[in-house]
């Protein structure tokens, strides 16, 4: 039985309404959410920071548009993890709601911007592979660094604009319209629009990957028939096929992690949510962090260039550690010889 209903009148914009969205009722639920957010968030920030370092510390890798898009994805996941974990734990675990509507919508806009940019970066990566495989001879002319940076700029500006529309006035307090049962102050029509925007992005990604996989299968068949012909073109084909498979794995993880959240969002637009479903939504939201945490692992395991760069970093770290361990021994040996002398 529901214990707290979202108000239908003007009080829906009062500070007390925030308490109705604090759906975690037991200490065990709060501890579970806190542990999940802390674990996934910490791992996500560490792994994606490592990916950014590997990309931008290697001149050969950072010049490639493909890895600029992957770097944008890693940056978006870092920001999403930090903003989401801080705001989510602060609200649901510590039950702090002593901030204004504007502050809450500012935090929500940051989360939406980051997650939307993460999804959009994945779309750009898929389109990059689509062009690389469908028009390989024109790829370097079509996908330049300048165009890649321009696309990333448009991506982030568009995501930020859409995410901060509630703060700019498209909220149920200003419009005196129906509020969402999942997010305070958010208009149901805006939530429906954001869901449509996300579904369009997912549809474009699926279409691009379907074409990439189809061409990848053709490349595999071609290479099996021409094993004797070894050259630069075949090497590029193998790289395209490997990266295509990697991106499909990322898409599979993305779909599994985001489907529960999107389904509950769509359900909330048309039907009344029970407290149980709202608790389920709170726990399913942590799957978005899991997606951000898994992406770098997939890159490290399947991208030969990033994996080679990672091995170089570990080798350098081991050499530095070995030198630091040998230095005190050499110094003590030198002091002993001086004393003996």
């Amino acid at each position: 039985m529901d214990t707290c209903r979202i108000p239908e009148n003007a009080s829906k914009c009062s500070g007390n309404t925030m308490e109705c969205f604090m759906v975690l009722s037991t200490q065990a639920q709060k501890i579970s959410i806190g542990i999940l957010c802390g674990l996934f968030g910490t791992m996500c920030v560490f792994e994606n920071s490592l990916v950014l370092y590997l990309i931008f510390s290697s001149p050969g890798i950072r010049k490639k548009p493909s890895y600029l898009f992957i770097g944008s994805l890693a940056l978006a996941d870092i920001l999403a993890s930090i903003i989401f974990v801080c705001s989510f734990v602060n609200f649901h675990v510590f039950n702090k709601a002593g901030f204004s509507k504007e502050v809450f919508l500012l935090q929500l806009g940051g989360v939406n911007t980051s997650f939307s940019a993460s999804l959009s970066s994945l779309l750009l990566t898929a389109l990059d592979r689509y062009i690389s495989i469908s028009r390989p001879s024109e790829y370097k002319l079509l996908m330049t660094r300048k165009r890649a940076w321009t696309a990333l700029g448009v991506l982030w500006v568009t995501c930020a604009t859409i995410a901060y529309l509630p703060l700019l006035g498209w909220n149920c307090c200003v419009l005196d319209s129906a509020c969402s049962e999942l997010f305070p102050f958010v208009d149901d029509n805006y939530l429906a629009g954001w869901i449509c925007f996300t579904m369009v992005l997912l549809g474009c990604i699926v279409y691009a990957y379907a074409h990439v996989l189809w061409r990848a299968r053709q490349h595999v068949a071609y290479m099996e028939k021409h094993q004797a012909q070894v050259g630069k073109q075949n090497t590029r084909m193998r790289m395209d096929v490997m990266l295509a498979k990697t991106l499909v794995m990322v898409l599979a993880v993305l779909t599994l992690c985001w489907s529960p959240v999107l389904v509950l969002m769509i359900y909330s637009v048309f039907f009344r949510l029970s407290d149980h479903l709202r608790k389920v939504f709170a726990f399913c939201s942590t799957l978005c962090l899991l997606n951000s945490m898994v992406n770098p692992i997939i890159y490290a395991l399947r991208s030969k260039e990033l994996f080679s760069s990672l091995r170089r970093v570990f080798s350098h770290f081991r050499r530095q550690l070995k030198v630091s361990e040998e230095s005190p021994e050499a110094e003590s040996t030198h002091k002993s010889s001086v004393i003996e002398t």
Side-chain angles (χ1 to χ4, degrees):
M1 184 175 180
D2 293 342
T3 58
C4 187
R5 283 294 187 185
I6 308 303
E8 298 290 345
N9 50 30
S11 64
K12 64 187 176 184
C13 297
S14 65
N16 294 331
T17 304
M18 301 282 285
E19 298 177 0
C20 292
F21 294 88
M22 299 175 181
V23 296
L24 303 182
S25 55
T26 66
Q27 195 68 19
Q29 293 173 352
K30 294 180 180 180
I31 293 175
S32 299
I33 284 289
I35 293 175
L36 289 175
C37 288
L39 177 62
F40 292 163
T42 302
M43 292 297 296
C44 180
V45 171
F46 171 76
E47 293 170 0
N48 284 286
S49 299
L50 181 61
V51 170
L52 283 178
Y53 174 78
L54 294 177
I55 290 175
F56 290 99
S57 64
S58 175
I61 293 178
R62 68 168 178 259
K63 291 180 180 179
K64 298 181 179 181
S66 302
Y67 288 101
L68 289 179
F69 299 146
I70 292 176
S72 174
L73 176 62
L75 176 62
D77 286 338
I78 290 174
L79 294 177
S81 300
I82 295 175
I83 301 174
F84 176 83
V85 169
C86 292
S87 58
F88 195 79
V89 171
N90 192 47
F91 185 81
H92 283 290
V93 177
F94 298 110
N95 297 138
K96 293 184 179 180
F99 41 81
S100 64
K101 176 193 70 175
E102 289 74 18
V103 172
F104 177 83
L105 292 178
L106 182 65
Q107 294 177 350
L108 183 63
V111 173
N112 286 344
T113 298
S114 303
F115 280 127
S116 298
S118 176
L119 191 59
S120 301
S121 298
L122 190 57
L123 173 59
L124 287 183
T125 308
L127 293 177
D128 174 73
R129 290 299 90 198
Y130 177 89
I131 296 173
S132 176
I133 288 183
S134 62
R135 306 175 69 176
S137 60
E138 304 174 25
Y139 174 77
K140 290 187 177 180
L141 294 176
L142 295 175
M143 191 58 66
T144 61
R145 281 174 55 83
K146 182 178 180 180
R147 290 181 178 179
W149 281 111
T150 302
L152 289 175
V154 172
L155 177 157
W156 281 90
V157 171
T158 301
C159 291
T161 301
I162 294 175
Y164 282 105
L165 285 177
L167 182 62
L168 297 176
W170 191 354
N171 58 73
C172 56
C173 299
V174 174
L175 301 177
D176 195 23
S177 55
C179 286
S180 168
E181 294 189 3
L182 294 175
F183 307 100
F185 315 122
V186 174
D187 180 67
D188 260 343
N189 292 327
Y190 170 81
L191 181 60
W194 189 86
I195 293 172
C196 291
F197 170 69
T198 304
M199 298 300 291
V200 168
L201 288 178
L202 286 173
C204 293
I205 293 173
V206 170
Y207 173 80
Y209 280 144
H211 185 83
V212 166
L213 281 181
W214 176 63
R215 295 302 297 265
R217 288 175 63 89
Q218 288 185 330
H219 285 334
V220 171
Y222 174 84
M223 287 186 290
E224 289 177 351
K225 293 180 180 179
H226 301 81
Q227 288 293 334
Q229 299 179 7
V230 179
K232 186 176 181 180
Q233 185 177 4
N234 279 358
T235 302
R236 182 176 181 80
M237 287 180 180
R238 292 188 183 95
M239 291 175 61
D240 289 339
V241 171
M242 179 64 71
L243 193 49
K245 292 179 179 179
T246 299
L247 297 180
V248 169
M249 291 177 61
V250 174
L251 179 62
V253 173
L254 179 76
T255 303
L256 291 174
C257 292
W258 277 86
S259 293
V261 173
L262 290 176
V263 169
L264 287 173
M265 283 183 180
I266 295 172
Y267 184 87
S268 70
V269 173
F270 298 101
F271 304 101
R272 198 80 170 170
L273 289 178
S274 64
D275 281 354
H276 175 70
L277 286 179
R278 291 165 65 195
K279 290 178 182 178
V280 171
F281 178 80
F283 278 92
C284 288
S285 298
T286 60
L287 291 177
C288 301
L289 281 178
L290 178 62
N291 171 71
S292 299
M293 185 186 74
V294 170
N295 284 344
I297 298 176
I298 298 176
Y299 301 145
L301 291 176
R302 300 192 61 84
S303 174
K304 291 184 178 180
E305 291 175 296
L306 283 181
F307 188 72
S308 299
S309 181
L310 181 62
R311 290 181 61 183
R312 287 195 298 270
V313 170
F314 282 151
S315 297
H316 177 72
F317 176 76
R318 284 198 298 266
R319 287 196 301 268
Q320 291 293 108
L321 187 62
K322 187 176 181 180
V323 170
S324 62
E325 290 177 352
E326 291 178 352
S327 295
E329 296 179 0
E331 185 177 352
S332 60
T333 303
H334 176 70
K335 288 182 177 179
S336 300
S337 61
V338 171
I339 293 173
E340 291 176 358
T341 303

